[in-house]
């Protein structure tokens, strides 16, 4: 068997080099085409893995993403998964004067640096459910011009929204709790669930949920500073209190209250106040509406404790007053006004001739 000549081996080796280069170039070309195809695949929304890997952000201030909730319905979460849902109370105090509003945000970001790409426009649905029967309050959710009420346990309302990518974006839903009766109010938990519904490759990828609870902090009912004779706030009274008082035929006594107000004109929100005045020095106006109501009550219910009665040197009238009230009572001089006033040397003693106090029950 003859050996190959060295010249022939050199020619074959030289022929292989262009083939290797051609094969490598072809490989790079195929790889480049593949990258282009995958890029287009992501941008047109058909590659779920690449879309999620590139960063899909979905968050809230009152809800948290939980893996166990993916693909679950609102009813399933309420029945079987409440132990994995975060619970938040109102972050600021609520006195019941106005409705308390939770601003529930649905965001396309985790923080100011991490947000959805401009090609990732997320469509989502958010739902709200009452977990208990409402007592002493009303519940409603608003977004834009649309408002929906939650009226009973298990009641669900839903909204759909869209968060465009390319920058920080958040939709804010107003969940309002309006007090109707502080006497029977019990906080009803509201379950909130939000999840993406578009594009298709984001469906069932994330679900976030949360529960909010409006805690009512009853404010102490009391008579505010500023209550008393209106004459004491005049310049004349500051200069010479007795000279300002002596020529007056009638005196206005203003009563200012504060406390928890439910927004309903019901007796359960009213508190009883006792007005007392020295009966020989003052007498109340016969046209005063509270005086008239006290007389009617005493006549209609003779066996009940009276609302208008005497207590030694004092005349007493008990009235029911709402929180945040400002009521004026008019008093006139009685027969003992002049001798009584002449014996007073300090203005504080004059101011104590009429007093008001909250009746503890």
């Amino acid at each position: 068997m003859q050996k190959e000549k060295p010249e022939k081996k050199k020619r074959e080796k030289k022929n292989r080099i262009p083939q290797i280069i051609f094969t490598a170039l072809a490989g790079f070309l195929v790889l480049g085409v593949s990258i282009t195809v995958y890029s287009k695949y992501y941008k047109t929304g058909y590659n779920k893995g690449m879309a999620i890997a590139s960063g899909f952000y979905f968050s809230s201030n009152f809800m948290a993403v939980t893996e166990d909730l993916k693909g679950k319905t609102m009813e399933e979460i309420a029945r079987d998964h409440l132990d994995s849902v975060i619970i938040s109370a109102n972050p600021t105090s609520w006195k019941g004067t106005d409705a308390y509003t939770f601003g529930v945000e649905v965001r396309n970001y985790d923080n100011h640096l991490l947000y959805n790409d401009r090609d990732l426009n997320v469509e989502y649905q958010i739902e709200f459910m009452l977990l208990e029967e409402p007592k002493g309050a009303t519940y409603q959710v608003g977004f834009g011009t649309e408002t929906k009420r939650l009226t009973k346990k298990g009641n669900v309302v839903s909204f759909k929204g869209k968060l465009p990518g390319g920058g920080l974006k958040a939709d804010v839903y107003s969940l309002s709790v309006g007090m109707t009766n502080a006497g029977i109010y019990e906080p009803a938990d509201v379950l909130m669930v939000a999840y993406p519904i578009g594009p298709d490759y984001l469906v069932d990828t994330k679900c976030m949920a949360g529960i909010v609870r409006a805690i009512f902090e009853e404010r102490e009912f009391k008579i505010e500073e500023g209550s008393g004779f209106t004459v004491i706030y005049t310049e004349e009274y500051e200069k010479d209190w007795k000279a300002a008082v002596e020529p007056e035929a009638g005196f206005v006594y203003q009563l200012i209250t504060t406390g928890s107000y439910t927004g309903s004109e019901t007796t359960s929100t009213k508190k009883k106040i006792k007005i007392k005045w020295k009966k020989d020095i003052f007498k109340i106006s016969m046209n005063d509406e509270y005086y008239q109501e006290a007389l009617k009550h005493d006549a209609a219910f003779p066996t009940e404790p009276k609302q208008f009665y005497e207590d030694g040197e004092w005349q007493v009238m008990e009235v029911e007053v709402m929180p945040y009230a400002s009521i004026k009572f008019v008093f006139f001089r009685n027969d003992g006004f002049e001798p009584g006033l002449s014996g007073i040397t300090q203005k504080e003693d004059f101011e104590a001739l009429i007093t008001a106090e909250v009746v503890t029950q």
Side-chain angles (χ1 to χ4, degrees):
M1 187 172 180
Q2 286 186 335
K3 293 182 179 179
E4 292 185 359
K5 295 180 179 180
E7 292 80 2
K8 185 177 180 182
K9 288 183 179 180
K10 289 180 180 179
R11 285 197 301 271
E12 289 177 351
K13 190 176 291 186
K14 289 180 180 179
N15 290 337
R16 286 196 196 102
I17 292 173
Q19 290 176 356
I20 293 171
I21 294 173
F22 176 79
T23 303
L25 290 173
F28 283 121
L29 181 62
V30 170
L31 180 60
V33 171
S34 299
I35 291 172
T36 302
V37 169
Y38 274 109
S39 178
K40 289 182 179 179
Y41 207 36
Y42 162 65
K43 287 188 177 182
T44 52
Y46 295 107
N47 191 322
K48 181 189 297 185
M50 291 187 67
I52 296 173
S54 68
F56 166 41
Y57 303 107
F58 195 54
S59 65
S60 173
N61 55 341
F62 286 108
M63 293 181 283
V65 173
T66 305
E67 288 296 317
D68 296 342
L69 305 183
K70 290 193 298 186
K72 304 295 183 182
T73 66
M74 188 76 156
E75 289 73 17
E76 289 173 332
I77 294 172
R79 186 183 65 239
D80 303 322
H81 299 280
L82 288 183
D83 57 344
S84 62
V85 178
I86 62 169
I87 301 176
S88 303
N90 38 302
T92 57
S93 63
W94 179 38
K95 304 301 182 182
T97 308
D98 301 308
Y100 190 89
T101 300
F102 295 88
V104 181
E105 297 182 4
V106 179
R107 304 164 173 166
N108 72 340
Y109 61 89
D110 273 355
N111 56 53
H112 283 210
L113 297 177
L114 300 176
Y115 52 86
N116 288 333
D117 185 81
R118 66 179 181 179
D119 294 318
L120 190 55
N121 300 321
V122 180
E123 298 172 37
Y124 68 89
Q125 182 158 318
I126 182 170
E127 299 175 339
F128 299 82
M129 172 192 280
L130 267 179
L131 296 179
E132 290 92 19
E133 292 292 343
K135 295 181 180 179
T138 59
Y139 297 77
Q140 64 180 30
V141 185
F143 181 68
T145 59
E146 190 173 16
T147 300
K148 299 180 180 181
R149 294 189 63 185
L150 294 163
T151 57
K152 60 183 179 180
K153 179 181 178 180
N155 192 195
V156 177
V157 298
S158 63
F159 299 82
K160 292 182 179 179
K162 187 173 183 178
L163 295 170
L168 303 175
K169 182 71 170 67
D171 288 341
V172 183
Y173 293 82
S174 298
L175 171 57
S176 296
V177 184
M179 183 73 73
T180 58
N181 193 328
I184 64 171
Y185 175 74
E186 292 181 12
D189 288 350
V190 180
L191 172 65
M192 308 170 297
V193 176
Y195 49 88
I197 57 175
D200 291 341
Y201 57 80
L202 292 181
V203 175
D204 291 339
T205 58
K206 285 187 179 181
C207 179
M208 58 184 179
I211 292 172
V212 292
R213 180 181 300 163
I215 304 299
F216 168 61
E217 299 176 17
E218 187 169 7
R219 185 175 181 181
E220 180 186 2
F221 182 90
K222 63 181 181 179
I223 298 170
E224 285 284 271
E225 291 184 12
S227 296
F229 290 107
T230 56
V231 69
I232 70 176
Y233 298 106
T234 63
E235 292 184 8
E236 293 78 9
Y237 188 86
E238 287 293 327
K239 294 176 182 178
D240 187 340
W241 73 269
K242 187 168 284 191
V245 168
E246 285 178 338
E248 296 294 326
F251 298 86
V252 175
Y253 186 91
Q254 186 170 29
L255 181 69
I256 303 171
T257 64
T258 188
S260 298
Y261 176 60
T262 68
S264 175
E265 293 291 332
T266 59
T267 56
S268 63
T269 66
K270 294 181 179 181
K271 301 293 183 181
K272 188 175 289 186
I273 287 181
K274 184 186 295 184
I275 309 291
K276 297 171 58 177
W277 60 93
K278 279 293 186 69
K279 62 182 181 181
D280 60 327
I281 296 177
F282 291 111
K283 56 184 177 183
I284 195 168
S285 170
M286 305 295 285
N287 296 320
D288 182 86
E289 60 177 304
Y290 286 93
Y291 167 72
Q292 293 292 337
E293 287 296 323
L295 292 183
K296 290 179 183 178
H297 172 273
D298 293 346
F301 305 100
T303 59
E304 289 188 5
K306 291 186 175 295
Q307 292 185 351
F308 190 79
Y309 57 92
E310 293 183 0
D311 182 12
E313 298 178 345
W314 300 89
Q315 181 69 52
V316 182
M317 183 173 69
E318 294 183 357
V319 299
E320 289 187 331
V321 181
M322 296 287 289
Y324 298 99
S326 178
I327 305 168
K328 292 181 178 179
F329 301 92
V330 177
F331 292 88
F332 297 109
R333 294 170 177 240
N334 211 343
D335 296 337
F337 180 84
E338 290 185 5
L341 188 64
S342 64
I344 297 175
T345 58
Q346 302 295 322
K347 63 180 181 180
E348 290 79 12
D349 294 333
F350 166 75
E351 294 167 14
L353 292 175
I354 300 178
T355 63
E357 61 185 69
V358 178
V359 178
T360 56
Q361 298 178 351

